[in-house]
Amino acid sequence: MSENPAHDSLFQPIQLGAIAAPNRIVMAPLTRGRATDDHVPTAIMVEYYRQRATAGLIITEATGISQEGLGWPNAPGLWTAAQTEAWKPVTAAVHAAGGRIIAQLWHMGRIVHPDFLGGEPPVSASATTAPGQAHTARGKQDYVAARALPLDEFPRLLDDYERAARNAKAAGFDGVQLHAANGYLIDQFLRDSTNLRDDTYGGSVENRTRLLREATERLISVWGADRVSVRLSPNGDSQGTDDSDPASIFGEAAKVLQALNIGFLELRQPGPDGTFGQTDVPQQDGLIRSIFTGPLVLNSDYTPDDAAADFAAGRADAISFGRPFISNPDLVERIRVGATLAPNTNVPQSWYFPGEAGYTDYPTLAETKALA
C-alpha cells in the first residue's frame, strides 16, 4: 500500500490477461530513438528498461514489424534476427529485476517517409497524405502521398505482424500489443477520413475494422488471446486521421476485441498537452467500457491523483503513465511514498537524441536523497 491512502488502489495487483501485474501503474509506450540506424536495440536500452521494472507492466516503445512500417530514425524493430537477439538482454534484465514487459508492434502506414523506403511511397488504406512533416535522418521533410494497399498485399502485411509476434516470443517478451492508435496504419483503416476504400476493407464499420481483427488474430495465433493487447485512440484528429462518427467505429472496434477475448485494451485519451491532436472532443471510453468487459487501461497526461480518481470511479482498471516515467525511473516508488515527481528537463531534445543524457541518467528518489 502507499503512504497516501488516496493512492492505495493503484497498488492493488491486477491480472492483465495472463500477466499478473503487482500494481496498476503501467509504463506506456515511449518512443526514445536509442536503437542503431538498422533499428537494432542497444546496450543502454537494457539499462533504461531495467530501471523501470517496478511498473506493474512495461509496454515497450513502438517497435517496427517491417522496414516498410518503420519511419522513425533509430526506433527499434522486430523483423530481423539481429533485432530479435538484441531484445533478449532487455527482457532478461527486466525479468531479473522482477518486472514484466510486452512489445508494442507498430506499422506507421502513411507516416513513413520515402527516405526510409528507398524512395518508394508508403502504404495506407487509401491514397492520402498526412499533414505536417516527417522526422528523418535528413531533418524535417513533408509527408508524401501514400499508395492504397492492394488486396493482394494484405497476406504479406499480416505475415509481417505474425513474424514480429514470433520474434517477440523468441526475444523473451511476456506478450505483445498491437498499435492501432495515433493515426498509424490500423487507425488509418479504422477512420473514414483516411479510409476511402470501397472494397471489403472500406465503407462500413465492419469492413473498416477488418484489418484490426485480422492483425489481432495473427498475434493471437502466436501468443494466445490472453497475452495479446491492443491500443486504440478513440478521440479526435490524430496526425490527420479522424472520423465523422467515432462512437460507431470505436464501438465496433470494441466489439471485435471483446469477441477475440484479448488480455487487455489500452486507450490513449487526449489530455491538455496531447501530442497527437485535439483535446476538446468527447471521450469514448464509457462507450467502450460498456462493450469491452476485459481489463481497460487508460493513458494520457495522468497525475497520480487523477489516476486514483479514475480507478475509484470505475473508468479504468489500470493507468499507463508515459512522460512521468522518462524522468522518474522509480515512478512507482515515488507515487507510493507521495514524493514530488522529477520534471522532464531538456525536453524534447532528450526524448529522441542518442546517448545516456536524458535517458538513463535520471536519479531515483533514493539516489537523490543520498546526494543531498
Side-chain angles (χ1 to χ4, degrees):
M1 293 294 100
S2 74
E3 295 183 14
N4 180 345
H7 295 163
D8 281 354
S9 59
L10 298 177
F11 291 87
Q12 297 176 9
I14 183 173
Q15 199 70 30
L16 295 171
I19 300 172
N23 61 65
R24 297 171 187 246
I25 301 169
V26 175
M27 179 173 164
L30 290 161
T31 295
R32 303 305 308 278
R34 261 66 175 195
T36 69
D37 291 344
D38 294 324
H39 309 290
V40 176
T42 56
I44 61 171
M45 291 172 60
V46 177
E47 177 63 10
Y48 170 76
Y49 282 108
R50 184 201 63 78
Q51 290 175 344
R52 291 154 178 82
T54 53
L57 173 67
I58 293 173
I59 307 173
T60 69
E61 61 205 282
T63 300
I65 65 166
S66 63
Q67 183 62 71
E68 172 195 81
L70 187 53
W72 190 275
N74 302 105
L78 259 173
W79 70 87
T80 71
Q83 293 162 355
T84 304
E85 286 298 312
W87 274 114
K88 290 181 179 179
V90 176
T91 61
V94 170
H95 291 152
R100 294 136 298 275
I101 182 169
I102 64 174
Q104 188 189 63
L105 303 182
W106 194 27
H107 192 303
M108 297 171 66
R110 69 178 189 165
I111 305 299
V112 180
H113 190 273
D115 272 15
F116 296 91
L117 305 173
E120 295 298 315
V123 300
S124 185
S126 303
T128 61
T129 306
Q133 294 184 308
H135 179 52
T136 76
R138 294 193 295 143
K140 294 284 189 179
Q141 298 191 66
D142 291 343
Y143 289 114
V144 303
R147 65 181 181 90
L149 191 71
L151 289 176
D152 63 2
E153 290 191 39
F154 279 84
R156 183 265 305 160
L157 173 66
L158 293 169
D159 286 346
D160 288 344
Y161 275 109
E162 182 175 332
R163 177 185 59 189
R166 293 190 184 281
N167 288 343
K169 179 171 278 192
F173 285 99
D174 298 302
V176 291
Q177 182 180 78
L178 178 67
H179 196 341
N182 299 355
Y184 297 118
L185 181 68
I186 292 179
D187 206 16
Q188 293 161 26
F189 272 85
L190 290 176
R191 307 208 215 190
D192 58 16
S193 73
T194 44
N195 187 338
L196 312 177
R197 303 175 74 100
D198 58 6
D199 58 15
T200 56
Y201 288 89
S204 68
V205 292
E206 293 80 8
N207 283 352
R208 285 185 279 135
T209 55
R210 189 179 304 275
L211 180 59
L212 169 69
R213 176 176 56 79
E214 291 177 341
T216 306
E217 287 173 338
R218 287 297 192 99
L219 305 189
I220 290 171
S221 74
V222 175
W223 281 95
D226 57 1
R227 290 189 181 272
V228 171
S229 63
V230 173
R231 172 180 257 220
L232 298 172
S233 51
N235 48 39
D237 186 305
S238 287
Q239 304 193 87
T241 301
D242 206 349
D243 196 84
S244 61
D245 186 2
S248 292
I249 187 59
F250 288 107
E252 181 64 23
K255 291 178 186 176
V256 167
L257 300 174
Q258 172 69 17
L260 292 174
N261 197 30
I262 62 170
F264 70 91
L265 174 60
E266 184 191 18
L267 304 182
R268 187 186 188 281
Q269 304 280 31
D273 301 311
T275 304
F276 291 101
Q278 292 176 224
T279 61
D280 56 341
V281 293
Q283 301 302 288
Q284 308 300 326
D285 61 277
L287 168 68
I288 289 173
R289 194 154 178 75
S290 72
I291 298 168
F292 182 79
T293 60
L296 188 67
V297 180
L298 295 186
N299 163 259
S300 194
D301 304 308
Y302 271 96
T303 66
D305 287 344
D306 292 338
D310 271 5
F311 177 74
R315 287 190 66 203
D317 299 298
I319 301 295
S320 63
F321 290 83
R323 281 172 278 184
F325 261 115
I326 293 177
S327 53
N328 297 274
D330 59 340
L331 178 66
V332 173
E333 176 65 8
R334 287 177 184 258
I335 293 175
R336 189 186 71 80
V337 302
T340 300
L341 301 188
N344 288 309
T345 56
N346 194 28
V347 174
Q349 291 85 355
S350 65
W351 290 357
Y352 309 127
F353 278 11
E356 297 177 2
Y359 189 60
T360 57
D361 60 345
Y362 289 105
T364 64
L365 184 61
E367 290 167 342
T368 300
K369 289 179 177 178
L371 289 171

